[in-house]
Amino acid sequence: MTGTGILPISEALKLQPGAEVRVRGWVYRRRDLGDKAFVVVRDSTGIIQSVFTPESRSHAEARRVTVESSVVVQGKLREDPRAPGGKEIQGEELVIIGLAENFPIRRDASREFLLNVRHLAVRSRKMTAVLKIRHTVFGALHEWFRENGFYEVQCPMFISAAVEGGATLFPVKYVDESTVYLTQSSQFYLEALIFSLEKVYTVAPSFRAEKSRTRRHLTEFWHAEAEVAWVGLEGILKVEEELVSHIVRRVLERNREELDLLGRNLEGLKQVEPPFPRVSYDNAIEILQSKGIQVAWGDDLGADEERALTLEFDKPFFLYGFPEKAKAFYHKNDPSRPEVTLSADLLAPEGYGEIIGGGERIDRLDELVEKIKRFGLNPKDYEWYLDLRRFGTVPHAGFGLGMDRLVMWIGGLEHIVDSVPFPRTVARTYP
Ligand code: NSS
C-alpha cells in the first residue's frame, strides 16, 4: 500500500480541497492539541501538515509517531490558512515505516554539536535549501562550459610536485612506499590538455593542508578549473565573468524558495552581470591605506584586507596586477612592468572575498626556468611541465574557482562548512 498513488508533497499541495492524497516522508514536527494529533511531514519537495482526530483509524499511530520517523500519510486535502502551504491533510491513515529513536538535534543545538551529527543535520530545511542551490550551481557551471565550446576532462588526484606551494601539500604513502601528494589544483594537467582540446575544464576535489581555522578554508574543497589556449588575461576574465553571471542567473531562476528560506538578500545577486569592475592591485593598496589599514605595496592581501575592499563594491570585481612574490611561480610577469604579474583574483562582494584565482601563464621555456629558480624551486621537479614549453608552446590562461566559496556567497552563508554536506577542515574529518 505504501508505494501506490504517492504524490510528492509539493504536488499534493497544488490539488483542490477535497482531493484524496497520499504522501510519504519524514516527521518534521509532532504535537497534540486537545485530542487532535498534528503530524507535519517533509519530503524532498516540501512540507505538509496532517491532523488526526480520534475518529481516524490511525489516531493512536499519529500520537505515538516520533520526530524523524518515516511515514506514509493518507487523507483528504482541506484548506487551512494556518498550515504551511495553506492546506493540510485531514488524516485517515498513517503507516509508520521506520519509527525513529529520540532525535538528538534540538533547536538550541550548538554549531559544534550539529557538525558532530552532520549525517543527521543534513536533513534540516536549511541544509536542504543549501544543497538544492549547490546542485543548481554545479549544473549551471557544466551547462555554461559545454555551451561555450569547452571540453570536460579528468585529471589525477595523486601528484608528485606542488602547484600552489609546498606548505599546504598533503603527503600520502604510495603503494611502493614512496611519498606522493594529494592534488592542490589540476592546473598543470589542464595546461597539457589545451594542446589538443584548446578549451578545457574540470570539476574535482582539491586538497590543501590549511592549518588556519578560517570561515573560508576547507582542507578538501571542490575546484572548478579551466584553461584556454591562445588567450591572455583579458580573455580569461571574460570567461570568468560570463560563467559566474550565468550561474547566479540560474540560481535566481530556480532557487527563489531556497534563497528566501535562507533569508538571502537578492538585490546584490540581481546585479551580477558582466562586465565586472577591474581594480588594480596598486589602486587596492591605496584604497586600503586610505581606510587606515596597515598594508604596503608588495604584501599579499589576506582575508581582512579583502573584506575591507569588498565592502566598497556591490558586485563581484577583479583585482589584477599582483606583485610577483604574492603569486605562484607559473604566473606570467607583465612585459611592460615586470614586477607585477598578469594575474587576477575575482572577489565576491558583501565581505566574501576571493572566489577565483587565475591569469596568464608563462609560455616561454627560459622565462619559466628562470622564475622557478628565482622562487627557490628545482626545475627538475617540473620536467614534464617544462616540456609543454618545448613542444609548440602557445600563449594561454586559466583559472580556478572555489565551488564551496561560490555557494557560500550565493547562499549568503556565514561559514564555508555550511556550503558543503560533509566538510573537511583542519579540525574535522568526521562524520
Ligand atoms: O590557489 S588558488 O587561488 N589558485 C589555484 O589553485 C590555481 N592553480 C587555479 C588555476 O588557475 N587553475 O585557488 C583557486 C580558488 C580560490 O580562489 C578559492 O576560491 C579556492 O580555489 N580555494 C579554496 N576553497 C576552499 N578552501 C580552501 N582551502 C581553498 N583554497 C583555494
Side-chain angles (χ1 to χ4, degrees):
M1 64 111 349
T2 52
T4 53
I6 300 271
L7 282 178
I9 288 174
S10 61
E11 293 300 313
L13 282 167
K14 288 182 194 150
L15 297 179
Q16 292 304 314
E20 194 68 31
V21 296
R22 189 194 288 262
V23 299
R24 70 180 161 200
W26 292 264
V27 175
Y28 180 65
R29 266 198 302 265
R30 237 293 298 144
R31 72 199 158 94
D32 293 321
L33 218 64
D35 56 8
K36 286 184 187 152
F38 287 83
V39 182
V40 178
V41 180
R42 61 165 180 85
D43 69 4
S44 63
T45 70
I47 64 172
I48 193 165
Q49 172 168 297
S50 60
V51 192
F52 291 82
T53 59
E55 292 73 54
S56 155
R57 69 187 122 107
S58 294
H59 187 242
E61 289 295 85
R63 286 184 85 99
R64 90 178 169 101
V65 75
T66 48
V67 166
E68 289 305 319
S69 294
S70 47
V71 293
V72 178
V73 166
Q74 188 203 320
K76 220 179 229 94
L77 203 62
R78 69 175 184 201
E79 216 114 26
D80 185 332
R82 289 158 303 176
K87 286 173 197 154
E88 66 178 12
I89 297 173
Q90 174 67 48
E92 287 157 16
E93 188 174 34
L94 181 147
V95 179
I96 299 174
I97 308 297
L99 186 68
E101 294 178 20
N102 197 7
F103 200 61
I105 298 179
R106 305 258 164 265
R107 265 188 198 289
D108 57 356
S110 70
R111 169 177 277 288
E112 196 56 23
F113 178 78
L114 287 173
L115 284 166
N116 286 334
V117 293
R118 189 58 164 241
H119 53 296
L120 303 175
V122 285
R123 304 176 182 196
S124 71
R125 296 197 83 203
K126 178 181 170 185
M127 211 54 229
T128 306
V130 170
L131 293 177
K132 286 181 179 176
I133 291 171
R134 194 175 165 98
H135 165 80
T136 304
V137 168
F138 276 68
L141 179 114
H142 285 288
E143 196 176 80
W144 191 88
F145 276 126
R146 285 162 181 269
E147 276 169 11
N148 285 277
F150 283 75
Y151 287 99
E152 184 183 5
V153 296
Q154 291 77 32
C155 303
M157 300 289 104
F158 288 132
I159 55 154
S160 48
V163 182
E164 293 299 324
T168 61
L169 275 178
F170 265 115
V172 178
K173 194 197 275 177
Y174 207 58
V175 191
D176 63 0
E177 304 284 305
S178 65
T179 300
V180 298
Y181 306 95
L182 295 178
T183 191
Q184 299 166 307
S185 160
S186 299
Q187 179 188 325
F188 293 176
Y189 296 95
L190 295 182
E191 285 187 61
L193 292 167
I194 60 164
F195 290 81
S196 51
L197 298 169
E198 298 194 29
K199 292 161 78 172
V200 294
Y201 82 101
T202 194
V203 185
S206 278
F207 303 88
R208 305 218 180 158
E210 306 274 3
K211 277 144 205 119
S212 50
R213 297 175 191 227
T214 73
R215 283 153 21 101
R216 58 182 201 164
H217 285 96
L218 295 168
T219 47
E220 175 181 333
F221 67 97
W222 278 84
H223 208 172
E225 297 181 86
E227 200 70 29
V228 186
W230 312 107
V231 306
L233 180 61
E234 186 50 35
I236 205 69
L237 298 192
K238 285 216 167 69
V239 170
E240 296 174 31
E241 63 192 3
E242 291 290 342
L243 170 69
V244 169
S245 301
H246 175 79
I247 293 172
V248 171
R249 257 181 251 130
R250 278 284 183 265
V251 173
L252 284 170
E253 269 165 39
R254 297 181 181 166
N255 297 104
R256 276 309 166 95
E257 208 180 306
E258 288 76 28
L259 291 166
D260 286 348
L261 192 139
L262 295 174
R264 181 68 166 109
N265 172 357
L266 303 183
E267 289 321 303
L269 293 182
K270 287 181 187 162
Q271 292 184 43
V272 181
E273 286 295 337
F276 296 166
R278 282 127 167 90
V279 181
S280 71
Y281 171 88
D282 299 346
N283 190 212
I285 294 294
E286 283 168 15
I287 296 174
L288 290 169
Q289 287 172 344
S290 75
K291 293 171 137 219
I293 294 168
Q294 295 282 325
V295 278
W297 197 95
D299 292 349
D300 196 5
L301 303 181
D304 292 342
E305 289 80 30
E306 280 188 8
R307 166 169 280 272
L309 280 175
T310 67
L311 296 174
E312 301 284 295
F313 294 86
D314 46 18
K315 65 192 270 188
F317 63 96
F318 291 111
L319 204 52
Y320 70 90
F322 284 88
E324 173 180 279
K325 72 173 165 65
K327 288 286 161 195
F329 71 86
Y330 51 75
H331 288 285
K332 183 166 171 159
N333 294 48
D334 186 344
S336 67
R337 211 186 143 199
E339 69 278 17
V340 303
T341 51
L342 295 171
S343 63
D345 288 351
L346 181 67
L347 274 62
E350 303 163 86
Y352 282 97
E354 183 192 335
I355 55 173
I356 296 184
E360 214 169 310
R361 320 305 190 188
I362 299 177
D363 53 307
R364 294 286 140 197
L365 180 65
D366 50 352
E367 196 180 327
L368 186 55
V369 171
E370 236 173 73
K371 193 159 173 186
I372 288 176
K373 288 185 187 156
R374 205 155 67 238
F375 271 57
L377 301 167
N378 186 352
K380 283 255 169 305
D381 292 336
Y382 296 95
E383 261 318 301
W384 74 256
Y385 186 60
L386 293 171
D387 263 355
L388 306 181
R389 279 76 186 160
R390 291 189 179 103
F391 302 100
T393 189
V394 284
H396 63 286
F399 66 89
L401 161 61
M403 296 296 276
D404 317 282
R405 286 192 187 174
L406 178 62
V407 172
M408 179 185 174
W409 161 56
I410 293 177
L413 309 175
E414 230 172 85
H415 200 294
I416 196 164
V417 300
D418 297 333
S419 71
V420 48
F422 301 104
R424 296 293 178 250
T425 65
V426 59
R428 180 167 298 280
T429 50
Y430 175 94

